[in-house]
């Protein structure tokens, strides 16, 4: 995802020596253009780190490491992490372009989900209801409908809990057993160990080279860059991906390297 940075003058430098603990979700209750211009207008004395538009664009107005002014006044809060200090210091604020009660568009939801994942990963934030909150949890009186009933908390927490939901699930059938694969960039990937075992092959993990070897091999093992993996068999070197602490390999090139055919069964999902 692309993030467009437009600096707002409404922020304080740094985080007051606090660590980023939580995400606060908001709605703009108006257009993205209006929100962006208001949150970048010094008169408003308000800002947010991010704004996600209905088209699914992401704007950033304040750097994560600086304090945005989005939490407003604390009024009858319902939030265990509130410790009496200014919530702006330890939260990231995300605005969503929507009118009161309006649901996010699908593109907007996906962009916001991506942004939540990105922030959660970067600051090691637990994906739970204490650490990802609506503005109404800070001000339950005047911000009762921020982000409002159209904001799909259930779906957000479900998706955040399930790392595989960022790729569509797909079934790979090797007569038996069935392996669950993932569609990544239009290619079907499977966990390399499961796939190799289904094809009755042994696998060896070479930590120093970040390589999965399916013997016999007749090529030198290259070192894969950090965060990635090579699957080596015969004279083939197939780049795989590390996902969920597992090495995933594109099914077709691996199967073909092992002399197997891949038949795509369109009838089944
Ligand atoms: Zn708000």
């Amino acid at each position: 995802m692309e993030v467009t940075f437009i600096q707002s003058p409404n922020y304080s430098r740094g985080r007051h020596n606090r660590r980023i603990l939580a995400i606060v979700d908001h709605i703009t209750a108006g257009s993205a253009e209006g929100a962006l211009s208001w949150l970048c207008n010094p008169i408003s004395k308000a800002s947010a780190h991010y704004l996600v538009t209905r088209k699914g664009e992401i704007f950033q107005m304040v750097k994560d490491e600086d304090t945005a002014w989005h939490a407003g006044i604390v009024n009858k809060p319902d939030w265990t992490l509130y410790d009496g200090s200014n919530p702006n210091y330890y939260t990231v604020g995300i605005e969503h372009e929507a009118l009161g009660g309006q649901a996010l568009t699908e593109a907007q939801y996906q962009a916001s989900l991506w942004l939540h994942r990105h922030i959660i990963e970067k600051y090691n934030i637990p994906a739970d209801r204490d650490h990802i909150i609506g503005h109404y949890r800070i001000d339950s009186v005047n911000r009762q409908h921020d982000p409002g009933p159209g904001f799909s908390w259930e779906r957000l927490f479900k998706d955040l809990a399930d790392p595989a939901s960022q790729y569509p699930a797909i079934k790979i059938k090797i007569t038996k057993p069935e392996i669950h694969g993932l569609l990544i960039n239009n290619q079907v990937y499977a966990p390399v160990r499961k796939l190799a075992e289904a094809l009755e092959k042994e696998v060896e993990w070479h930590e120093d080279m970040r390589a999965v070897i399916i013997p016999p091999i007749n090529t030198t093992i290259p070192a894969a860059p950090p965060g990635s993996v090579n699957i080596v068999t015969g004279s083939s070197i197939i780049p795989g991906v590390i996902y969920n602490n597992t090495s995933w390999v594109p099914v077709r090139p691996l199967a073909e390297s092992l002399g197997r055919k891949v038949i795509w069964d369109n009838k089944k999902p």
Side-chain angles (χ1 to χ4, degrees), residues 154-177:
E154 296 294 327
R155 185 179 178 195
L156 180 64
F157 284 112
K158 194 172 155 270
D159 285 346
L160 290 176
D162 173 14
S165 72
Q166 60 183 293
Y167 302 121
I170 230 161
K171 254 183 204 169
I172 298 163
K173 200 171 177 181
I174 306 170
T175 329
K176 194 194 195 181

Side-chain angles (χ1 to χ4, degrees), residues 10 28 65 69 78 103 122 132 142 155-157 163 169 172 185-186 193 199 207-208 215 235 239 262:
N10 307 327
T28 55
E65 57 266 37
W69 302 338
D78 166 28
K122 195 162 171 194
I132 299 167
N142 298 311
R155 185 179 178 195
L156 180 64
F157 284 112
I172 298 163
N185 297 329
N186 287 321
R193 187 175 292 274
L199 298 170
E207 181 72 47
D208 49 339
S235 55
V262 176

Side-chain angles (χ1 to χ4, degrees), residues 8-75:
S8 167
N10 307 327
Y11 73 100
S12 348
R13 216 170 260 284
R15 285 290 192 169
H16 236 251
N17 294 321
R18 297 294 301 270
R19 204 171 72 77
I20 295 170
L21 287 182
I23 295 173
V24 181
D25 286 307
H26 304 261
I27 62 162
T28 55
S31 74
E33 294 75 22
L36 211 50
S37 99
W38 179 243
L39 298 175
C40 291
N41 184 337
I43 290 167
S44 75
K45 298 202 180 305
S47 62
H49 292 95
Y50 298 95
L51 167 68
V52 184
T53 71
R54 298 192 74 70
K55 284 188 221 154
E57 307 150 307
I58 303 175
F59 290 93
Q60 181 165 23
M61 291 162 275
V62 175
K63 287 185 196 157
D64 292 356
E65 57 266 37
D66 289 329
T67 301
W69 302 338
H70 62 96
I73 291 159
V74 179
N75 196 349

Side-chain angles (χ1 to χ4, degrees), residues 24-27 70-71 94-95 134-136 143 146-147:
V24 181
D25 286 307
H26 304 261
I27 62 162
H70 62 96
I94 305 177
E95 285 283 355
H135 194 176
Y136 71 97
R143 295 293 175 170
D146 184 1

